[in-house]
Amino acid sequence: DQQVKQNSPSLSVQEGRISILNCDYTNSMFDYFLWYKKYPAEGPTFLISISSIKDKNEDGRFTVFLNKSAKHLSLHIVPSQPGDSAVYFCAASRGAGANNLFFGTGTRLTVIP
Amino acid sequence: GAGVSQTPSNKVTEKGKYVELRCDPISGHTALYWYRQSLGQGPEFLIYFQGTGAADDSGLPNDRFFAVRPEGSVSTLKIQRTERGDSAVYLCASSLEVGQIFNYGYTFGSGTRLTVV
């Protein structure tokens, strides 16, 4: 049973525009959320995280929004750049000291120059 | 090393054979994790080590899978009697300490693509 879901397998965005990647989760025990970016033939790299005590976390061009009541989070990239083209994974954990992450199936972002 | 190193990068094996996948974590990282990513899926947790001991192996799918980390550094994931369903990318990750995944995330290796024919 997939506890973290990314329902859009792909997204195309024009360079300079906003990219919005969505993620839903079913387990109400999740309280820490992370986004990873993955290029082909490389391992996922950590991008940004958010705790459930917050509803927004920002780092440069990347902002993650969390809506706990809807069990939904999103990653905004503004402005999008061609180098952002990658597969983005949403992940969740139960507690900051958790040992394992539950990943979504990923969304492939293509930023068109 | 500078990053997490996994060898081999690709492994093709026949059904029923035994395979070993190696992970060399970042020097000084005490926590080591194995994940498996099947086609079209996100990574799924297999096992994590704190030092030499497997602190949580709840993600191992069955007893054909086993992992060791005898000296608290390099880890080997071992799969016996491989099946076609074992075909996946096996990812290793490490972190400085247990419980750092929220602040810094894991550092993943590039993975070993295992194909069982």
PDB file of all heavy atoms in Angstrom, chain A residues 52-82:
ATOM      1  N   SER A  52       6.213  18.990  10.389  1.00  0.00           N
ATOM      2  CA  SER A  52       4.766  19.198  10.426  1.00  0.00           C
ATOM      3  C   SER A  52       4.346  20.361  11.318  1.00  0.00           C
ATOM      4  O   SER A  52       3.179  20.750  11.319  1.00  0.00           O
ATOM      5  CB  SER A  52       4.065  17.918  10.903  1.00  0.00           C
ATOM      6  OG  SER A  52       4.514  17.571  12.187  1.00  0.00           O
ATOM      7  N   ILE A  53       5.289  20.927  12.060  1.00  0.00           N
ATOM      8  CA  ILE A  53       4.934  22.101  12.867  1.00  0.00           C
ATOM      9  C   ILE A  53       4.961  23.372  12.035  1.00  0.00           C
ATOM     10  O   ILE A  53       4.588  24.445  12.508  1.00  0.00           O
ATOM     11  CB  ILE A  53       5.852  22.241  14.100  1.00  0.00           C
ATOM     12  CG1 ILE A  53       7.299  22.497  13.685  1.00  0.00           C
ATOM     13  CG2 ILE A  53       5.741  21.024  14.992  1.00  0.00           C
ATOM     14  CD1 ILE A  53       8.194  22.854  14.867  1.00  0.00           C
ATOM     15  N   LYS A  54       5.437  23.240  10.802  1.00  0.00           N
ATOM     16  CA  LYS A  54       5.471  24.384   9.899  1.00  0.00           C
ATOM     17  C   LYS A  54       4.537  24.141   8.725  1.00  0.00           C
ATOM     18  O   LYS A  54       4.160  23.001   8.438  1.00  0.00           O
ATOM     19  CB  LYS A  54       6.889  24.590   9.362  1.00  0.00           C
ATOM     20  CG  LYS A  54       7.903  25.010  10.388  1.00  0.00           C
ATOM     21  CD  LYS A  54       9.224  25.322   9.704  1.00  0.00           C
ATOM     22  CE  LYS A  54      10.208  25.933  10.681  1.00  0.00           C
ATOM     23  NZ  LYS A  54      11.461  26.322   9.990  1.00  0.00           N
ATOM     24  N   ASP A  55       4.190  25.211   8.032  1.00  0.00           N
ATOM     25  CA  ASP A  55       3.429  25.016   6.800  1.00  0.00           C
ATOM     26  C   ASP A  55       4.189  25.488   5.565  1.00  0.00           C
ATOM     27  O   ASP A  55       3.714  25.333   4.431  1.00  0.00           O
ATOM     28  CB  ASP A  55       2.058  25.702   6.877  1.00  0.00           C
ATOM     29  CG  ASP A  55       2.178  27.177   7.219  1.00  0.00           C
ATOM     30  OD1 ASP A  55       3.280  27.741   7.080  1.00  0.00           O
ATOM     31  OD2 ASP A  55       1.165  27.768   7.647  1.00  0.00           O
ATOM     32  N   LYS A  56       5.395  26.006   5.781  1.00  0.00           N
ATOM     33  CA  LYS A  56       6.188  26.492   4.648  1.00  0.00           C
ATOM     34  C   LYS A  56       7.656  26.484   5.029  1.00  0.00           C
ATOM     35  O   LYS A  56       8.021  26.835   6.161  1.00  0.00           O
ATOM     36  CB  LYS A  56       5.733  27.901   4.295  1.00  0.00           C
ATOM     37  CG  LYS A  56       6.520  28.591   3.198  1.00  0.00           C
ATOM     38  CD  LYS A  56       5.990  30.021   3.000  1.00  0.00           C
ATOM     39  CE  LYS A  56       6.845  30.800   2.024  1.00  0.00           C
ATOM     40  NZ  LYS A  56       6.354  32.183   1.847  1.00  0.00           N
ATOM     41  N   ASN A  57       8.488  26.092   4.077  1.00  0.00           N
ATOM     42  CA  ASN A  57       9.928  26.208   4.251  1.00  0.00           C
ATOM     43  C   ASN A  57      10.526  26.608   2.914  1.00  0.00           C
ATOM     44  O   ASN A  57      10.184  26.042   1.872  1.00  0.00           O
ATOM     45  CB  ASN A  57      10.539  24.892   4.740  1.00  0.00           C
ATOM     46  CG  ASN A  57      12.003  25.054   5.124  1.00  0.00           C
ATOM     47  OD1 ASN A  57      12.437  26.131   5.494  1.00  0.00           O
ATOM     48  ND2 ASN A  57      12.762  23.976   5.051  1.00  0.00           N
ATOM     49  N   GLU A  58      11.415  27.587   2.970  1.00  0.00           N
ATOM     50  CA  GLU A  58      11.942  28.169   1.740  1.00  0.00           C
ATOM     51  C   GLU A  58      13.461  28.071   1.723  1.00  0.00           C
ATOM     52  O   GLU A  58      14.123  28.296   2.743  1.00  0.00           O
ATOM     53  CB  GLU A  58      11.520  29.645   1.690  1.00  0.00           C
ATOM     54  CG  GLU A  58      11.642  30.315   0.364  1.00  0.00           C
ATOM     55  CD  GLU A  58      10.983  31.697   0.378  1.00  0.00           C
ATOM     56  OE1 GLU A  58      10.250  32.002   1.348  1.00  0.00           O
ATOM     57  OE2 GLU A  58      11.195  32.456  -0.565  1.00  0.00           O
ATOM     58  N   ASP A  59      14.009  27.746   0.558  1.00  0.00           N
ATOM     59  CA  ASP A  59      15.465  27.712   0.397  1.00  0.00           C
ATOM     60  C   ASP A  59      15.770  28.128  -1.027  1.00  0.00           C
ATOM     61  O   ASP A  59      15.704  27.330  -1.959  1.00  0.00           O
ATOM     62  CB  ASP A  59      15.990  26.295   0.668  1.00  0.00           C
ATOM     63  CG  ASP A  59      17.509  26.214   0.581  1.00  0.00           C
ATOM     64  OD1 ASP A  59      18.163  27.261   0.373  1.00  0.00           O
ATOM     65  OD2 ASP A  59      18.052  25.105   0.739  1.00  0.00           O
ATOM     66  N   GLY A  60      16.098  29.403  -1.179  1.00  0.00           N
ATOM     67  CA  GLY A  60      16.411  29.916  -2.509  1.00  0.00           C
ATOM     68  C   GLY A  60      15.207  29.828  -3.427  1.00  0.00           C
ATOM     69  O   GLY A  60      14.133  30.341  -3.116  1.00  0.00           O
ATOM     70  N   ARG A  61      15.381  29.165  -4.556  1.00  0.00           N
ATOM     71  CA  ARG A  61      14.292  29.040  -5.538  1.00  0.00           C
ATOM     72  C   ARG A  61      13.265  27.979  -5.150  1.00  0.00           C
ATOM     73  O   ARG A  61      12.247  27.824  -5.827  1.00  0.00           O
ATOM     74  CB  ARG A  61      14.872  28.699  -6.911  1.00  0.00           C
ATOM     75  CG  ARG A  61      15.781  29.774  -7.491  1.00  0.00           C
ATOM     76  CD  ARG A  61      16.230  29.436  -8.915  1.00  0.00           C
ATOM     77  NE  ARG A  61      17.007  28.210  -8.982  1.00  0.00           N
ATOM     78  CZ  ARG A  61      16.597  27.092  -9.574  1.00  0.00           C
ATOM     79  NH1 ARG A  61      15.403  27.030 -10.141  1.00  0.00           N
ATOM     80  NH2 ARG A  61      17.381  26.021  -9.603  1.00  0.00           N
ATOM     81  N   PHE A  62      13.545  27.232  -4.099  1.00  0.00           N
ATOM     82  CA  PHE A  62      12.702  26.092  -3.718  1.00  0.00           C
ATOM     83  C   PHE A  62      11.901  26.407  -2.454  1.00  0.00           C
ATOM     84  O   PHE A  62      12.459  26.866  -1.458  1.00  0.00           O
ATOM     85  CB  PHE A  62      13.566  24.851  -3.478  1.00  0.00           C
ATOM     86  CG  PHE A  62      14.402  24.465  -4.675  1.00  0.00           C
ATOM     87  CD1 PHE A  62      15.678  24.967  -4.849  1.00  0.00           C
ATOM     88  CD2 PHE A  62      13.883  23.610  -5.626  1.00  0.00           C
ATOM     89  CE1 PHE A  62      16.437  24.611  -5.956  1.00  0.00           C
ATOM     90  CE2 PHE A  62      14.635  23.251  -6.738  1.00  0.00           C
ATOM     91  CZ  PHE A  62      15.915  23.758  -6.903  1.00  0.00           C
ATOM     92  N   THR A  63      10.603  26.152  -2.524  1.00  0.00           N
ATOM     93  CA  THR A  63       9.729  26.325  -1.373  1.00  0.00           C
ATOM     94  C   THR A  63       8.848  25.094  -1.253  1.00  0.00           C
ATOM     95  O   THR A  63       8.271  24.641  -2.258  1.00  0.00           O
ATOM     96  CB  THR A  63       8.834  27.564  -1.524  1.00  0.00           C
ATOM     97  OG1 THR A  63       9.664  28.723  -1.710  1.00  0.00           O
ATOM     98  CG2 THR A  63       7.979  27.773  -0.272  1.00  0.00           C
ATOM     99  N   VAL A  64       8.749  24.566  -0.052  1.00  0.00           N
ATOM    100  CA  VAL A  64       7.845  23.445   0.187  1.00  0.00           C
ATOM    101  C   VAL A  64       6.703  23.937   1.074  1.00  0.00           C
ATOM    102  O   VAL A  64       6.928  24.646   2.056  1.00  0.00           O
ATOM    103  CB  VAL A  64       8.577  22.230   0.801  1.00  0.00           C
ATOM    104  CG1 VAL A  64       9.307  22.585   2.081  1.00  0.00           C
ATOM    105  CG2 VAL A  64       7.617  21.081   1.036  1.00  0.00           C
ATOM    106  N   PHE A  65       5.498  23.578   0.687  1.00  0.00           N
ATOM    107  CA  PHE A  65       4.292  23.916   1.428  1.00  0.00           C
ATOM    108  C   PHE A  65       3.662  22.635   1.961  1.00  0.00           C
ATOM    109  O   PHE A  65       3.589  21.639   1.245  1.00  0.00           O
ATOM    110  CB  PHE A  65       3.275  24.629   0.522  1.00  0.00           C
ATOM    111  CG  PHE A  65       3.731  25.969   0.024  1.00  0.00           C
ATOM    112  CD1 PHE A  65       4.403  26.074  -1.187  1.00  0.00           C
ATOM    113  CD2 PHE A  65       3.485  27.121   0.753  1.00  0.00           C
ATOM    114  CE1 PHE A  65       4.834  27.315  -1.665  1.00  0.00           C
ATOM    115  CE2 PHE A  65       3.900  28.361   0.292  1.00  0.00           C
ATOM    116  CZ  PHE A  65       4.579  28.452  -0.922  1.00  0.00           C
ATOM    117  N   LEU A  66       3.199  22.694   3.206  1.00  0.00           N
ATOM    118  CA  LEU A  66       2.570  21.545   3.816  1.00  0.00           C
ATOM    119  C   LEU A  66       1.163  21.899   4.285  1.00  0.00           C
ATOM    120  O   LEU A  66       0.975  22.870   5.007  1.00  0.00           O
ATOM    121  CB  LEU A  66       3.394  21.041   5.006  1.00  0.00           C
ATOM    122  CG  LEU A  66       2.804  19.900   5.825  1.00  0.00           C
ATOM    123  CD1 LEU A  66       2.636  18.643   4.983  1.00  0.00           C
ATOM    124  CD2 LEU A  66       3.669  19.622   7.049  1.00  0.00           C
ATOM    125  N   ASN A  67       0.191  21.106   3.884  1.00  0.00           N
ATOM    126  CA  ASN A  67      -1.192  21.245   4.347  1.00  0.00           C
ATOM    127  C   ASN A  67      -1.541  19.962   5.093  1.00  0.00           C
ATOM    128  O   ASN A  67      -1.895  18.950   4.488  1.00  0.00           O
ATOM    129  CB  ASN A  67      -2.125  21.458   3.145  1.00  0.00           C
ATOM    130  CG  ASN A  67      -3.566  21.661   3.569  1.00  0.00           C
ATOM    131  OD1 ASN A  67      -3.999  21.176   4.618  1.00  0.00           O
ATOM    132  ND2 ASN A  67      -4.336  22.358   2.757  1.00  0.00           N
ATOM    133  N   LYS A  68      -1.395  20.017   6.421  1.00  0.00           N
ATOM    134  CA  LYS A  68      -1.570  18.797   7.223  1.00  0.00           C
ATOM    135  C   LYS A  68      -2.988  18.266   7.165  1.00  0.00           C
ATOM    136  O   LYS A  68      -3.213  17.059   7.132  1.00  0.00           O
ATOM    137  CB  LYS A  68      -1.186  19.070   8.673  1.00  0.00           C
ATOM    138  CG  LYS A  68       0.267  18.892   8.964  1.00  0.00           C
ATOM    139  CD  LYS A  68       0.612  18.788  10.427  1.00  0.00           C
ATOM    140  CE  LYS A  68      -0.329  19.426  11.377  1.00  0.00           C
ATOM    141  NZ  LYS A  68       0.092  19.330  12.780  1.00  0.00           N
ATOM    142  N   SER A  69      -3.963  19.164   7.179  1.00  0.00           N
ATOM    143  CA  SER A  69      -5.355  18.708   7.207  1.00  0.00           C
ATOM    144  C   SER A  69      -5.697  17.959   5.927  1.00  0.00           C
ATOM    145  O   SER A  69      -6.489  17.010   5.939  1.00  0.00           O
ATOM    146  CB  SER A  69      -6.306  19.885   7.417  1.00  0.00           C
ATOM    147  OG  SER A  69      -6.170  20.818   6.361  1.00  0.00           O
ATOM    148  N   ALA A  70      -5.088  18.370   4.817  1.00  0.00           N
ATOM    149  CA  ALA A  70      -5.340  17.699   3.538  1.00  0.00           C
ATOM    150  C   ALA A  70      -4.336  16.593   3.273  1.00  0.00           C
ATOM    151  O   ALA A  70      -4.439  15.886   2.266  1.00  0.00           O
ATOM    152  CB  ALA A  70      -5.295  18.717   2.397  1.00  0.00           C
ATOM    153  N   LYS A  71      -3.358  16.430   4.149  1.00  0.00           N
ATOM    154  CA  LYS A  71      -2.266  15.465   3.954  1.00  0.00           C
ATOM    155  C   LYS A  71      -1.648  15.655   2.576  1.00  0.00           C
ATOM    156  O   LYS A  71      -1.525  14.716   1.762  1.00  0.00           O
ATOM    157  CB  LYS A  71      -2.756  14.018   4.140  1.00  0.00           C
ATOM    158  CG  LYS A  71      -3.216  13.674   5.546  1.00  0.00           C
ATOM    159  CD  LYS A  71      -3.403  12.172   5.694  1.00  0.00           C
ATOM    160  CE  LYS A  71      -3.883  11.800   7.078  1.00  0.00           C
ATOM    161  NZ  LYS A  71      -5.266  12.221   7.318  1.00  0.00           N
ATOM    162  N   HIS A  72      -1.256  16.885   2.343  1.00  0.00           N
ATOM    163  CA  HIS A  72      -0.754  17.258   1.012  1.00  0.00           C
ATOM    164  C   HIS A  72       0.436  18.186   1.163  1.00  0.00           C
ATOM    165  O   HIS A  72       0.441  19.080   2.024  1.00  0.00           O
ATOM    166  CB  HIS A  72      -1.867  17.968   0.225  1.00  0.00           C
ATOM    167  CG  HIS A  72      -1.432  18.467  -1.110  1.00  0.00           C
ATOM    168  ND1 HIS A  72      -1.402  17.667  -2.233  1.00  0.00           N
ATOM    169  CD2 HIS A  72      -0.978  19.687  -1.506  1.00  0.00           C
ATOM    170  CE1 HIS A  72      -0.968  18.370  -3.254  1.00  0.00           C
ATOM    171  NE2 HIS A  72      -0.702  19.601  -2.851  1.00  0.00           N
ATOM    172  N   LEU A  73       1.452  17.945   0.344  1.00  0.00           N
ATOM    173  CA  LEU A  73       2.531  18.921   0.276  1.00  0.00           C
ATOM    174  C   LEU A  73       2.902  19.173  -1.176  1.00  0.00           C
ATOM    175  O   LEU A  73       2.571  18.371  -2.066  1.00  0.00           O
ATOM    176  CB  LEU A  73       3.759  18.508   1.095  1.00  0.00           C
ATOM    177  CG  LEU A  73       4.541  17.249   0.776  1.00  0.00           C
ATOM    178  CD1 LEU A  73       5.956  17.378   1.319  1.00  0.00           C
ATOM    179  CD2 LEU A  73       3.904  16.037   1.425  1.00  0.00           C
ATOM    180  N   SER A  74       3.538  20.309  -1.376  1.00  0.00           N
ATOM    181  CA  SER A  74       3.931  20.664  -2.736  1.00  0.00           C
ATOM    182  C   SER A  74       5.300  21.329  -2.702  1.00  0.00           C
ATOM    183  O   SER A  74       5.688  21.941  -1.705  1.00  0.00           O
ATOM    184  CB  SER A  74       2.899  21.584  -3.390  1.00  0.00           C
ATOM    185  OG  SER A  74       2.749  22.776  -2.654  1.00  0.00           O
ATOM    186  N   LEU A  75       5.996  21.178  -3.811  1.00  0.00           N
ATOM    187  CA  LEU A  75       7.302  21.811  -4.001  1.00  0.00           C
ATOM    188  C   LEU A  75       7.161  22.811  -5.130  1.00  0.00           C
ATOM    189  O   LEU A  75       6.712  22.454  -6.225  1.00  0.00           O
ATOM    190  CB  LEU A  75       8.357  20.757  -4.343  1.00  0.00           C
ATOM    191  CG  LEU A  75       9.753  21.285  -4.698  1.00  0.00           C
ATOM    192  CD1 LEU A  75      10.414  21.895  -3.459  1.00  0.00           C
ATOM    193  CD2 LEU A  75      10.619  20.174  -5.280  1.00  0.00           C
ATOM    194  N   HIS A  76       7.523  24.067  -4.840  1.00  0.00           N
ATOM    195  CA  HIS A  76       7.493  25.109  -5.840  1.00  0.00           C
ATOM    196  C   HIS A  76       8.922  25.478  -6.216  1.00  0.00           C
ATOM    197  O   HIS A  76       9.763  25.696  -5.316  1.00  0.00           O
ATOM    198  CB  HIS A  76       6.766  26.356  -5.305  1.00  0.00           C
ATOM    199  CG  HIS A  76       5.308  26.132  -5.067  1.00  0.00           C
ATOM    200  ND1 HIS A  76       4.384  27.166  -5.196  1.00  0.00           N
ATOM    201  CD2 HIS A  76       4.603  25.032  -4.746  1.00  0.00           C
ATOM    202  CE1 HIS A  76       3.176  26.683  -4.943  1.00  0.00           C
ATOM    203  NE2 HIS A  76       3.284  25.400  -4.672  1.00  0.00           N
ATOM    204  N   ILE A  77       9.173  25.557  -7.503  1.00  0.00           N
ATOM    205  CA  ILE A  77      10.482  25.976  -7.993  1.00  0.00           C
ATOM    206  C   ILE A  77      10.261  27.224  -8.841  1.00  0.00           C
ATOM    207  O   ILE A  77       9.570  27.186  -9.860  1.00  0.00           O
ATOM    208  CB  ILE A  77      11.144  24.871  -8.856  1.00  0.00           C
ATOM    209  CG1 ILE A  77      11.176  23.539  -8.095  1.00  0.00           C
ATOM    210  CG2 ILE A  77      12.556  25.290  -9.245  1.00  0.00           C
ATOM    211  CD1 ILE A  77      11.662  22.366  -8.936  1.00  0.00           C
ATOM    212  N   VAL A  78      10.861  28.333  -8.386  1.00  0.00           N
ATOM    213  CA  VAL A  78      10.690  29.607  -9.098  1.00  0.00           C
ATOM    214  C   VAL A  78      12.005  30.389  -9.086  1.00  0.00           C
ATOM    215  O   VAL A  78      12.526  30.651  -7.999  1.00  0.00           O
ATOM    216  CB  VAL A  78       9.596  30.477  -8.437  1.00  0.00           C
ATOM    217  CG1 VAL A  78       9.416  31.775  -9.214  1.00  0.00           C
ATOM    218  CG2 VAL A  78       8.288  29.731  -8.317  1.00  0.00           C
ATOM    219  N   PRO A  79      12.512  30.832 -10.235  1.00  0.00           N
ATOM    220  CA  PRO A  79      12.066  30.433 -11.564  1.00  0.00           C
ATOM    221  C   PRO A  79      12.666  29.091 -11.952  1.00  0.00           C
ATOM    222  O   PRO A  79      13.762  28.736 -11.509  1.00  0.00           O
ATOM    223  CB  PRO A  79      12.655  31.556 -12.444  1.00  0.00           C
ATOM    224  CG  PRO A  79      13.912  31.952 -11.726  1.00  0.00           C
ATOM    225  CD  PRO A  79      13.623  31.787 -10.249  1.00  0.00           C
ATOM    226  N   SER A  80      11.985  28.354 -12.766  1.00  0.00           N
ATOM    227  CA  SER A  80      12.491  27.048 -13.203  1.00  0.00           C
ATOM    228  C   SER A  80      13.632  27.245 -14.201  1.00  0.00           C
ATOM    229  O   SER A  80      13.595  28.156 -15.038  1.00  0.00           O
ATOM    230  CB  SER A  80      11.366  26.237 -13.857  1.00  0.00           C
ATOM    231  OG  SER A  80      10.301  26.057 -12.954  1.00  0.00           O
ATOM    232  N   GLN A  81      14.615  26.354 -14.093  1.00  0.00           N
ATOM    233  CA  GLN A  81      15.779  26.407 -14.977  1.00  0.00           C
ATOM    234  C   GLN A  81      15.951  25.047 -15.653  1.00  0.00           C
ATOM    235  O   GLN A  81      15.577  24.024 -15.080  1.00  0.00           O
ATOM    236  CB  GLN A  81      17.037  26.743 -14.173  1.00  0.00           C
ATOM    237  CG  GLN A  81      16.979  28.086 -13.478  1.00  0.00           C
ATOM    238  CD  GLN A  81      18.158  28.316 -12.561  1.00  0.00           C
ATOM    239  OE1 GLN A  81      18.980  27.440 -12.334  1.00  0.00           O
ATOM    240  NE2 GLN A  81      18.242  29.541 -12.018  1.00  0.00           N
ATOM    241  N   PRO A  82      16.553  25.006 -16.833  1.00  0.00           N
ATOM    242  CA  PRO A  82      16.745  23.705 -17.510  1.00  0.00           C
ATOM    243  C   PRO A  82      17.480  22.683 -16.652  1.00  0.00           C
ATOM    244  O   PRO A  82      17.188  21.486 -16.714  1.00  0.00           O
ATOM    245  CB  PRO A  82      17.546  24.087 -18.756  1.00  0.00           C
ATOM    246  CG  PRO A  82      17.125  25.489 -19.047  1.00  0.00           C
ATOM    247  CD  PRO A  82      16.945  26.136 -17.689  1.00  0.00           C
TER     248      PRO A  82
END
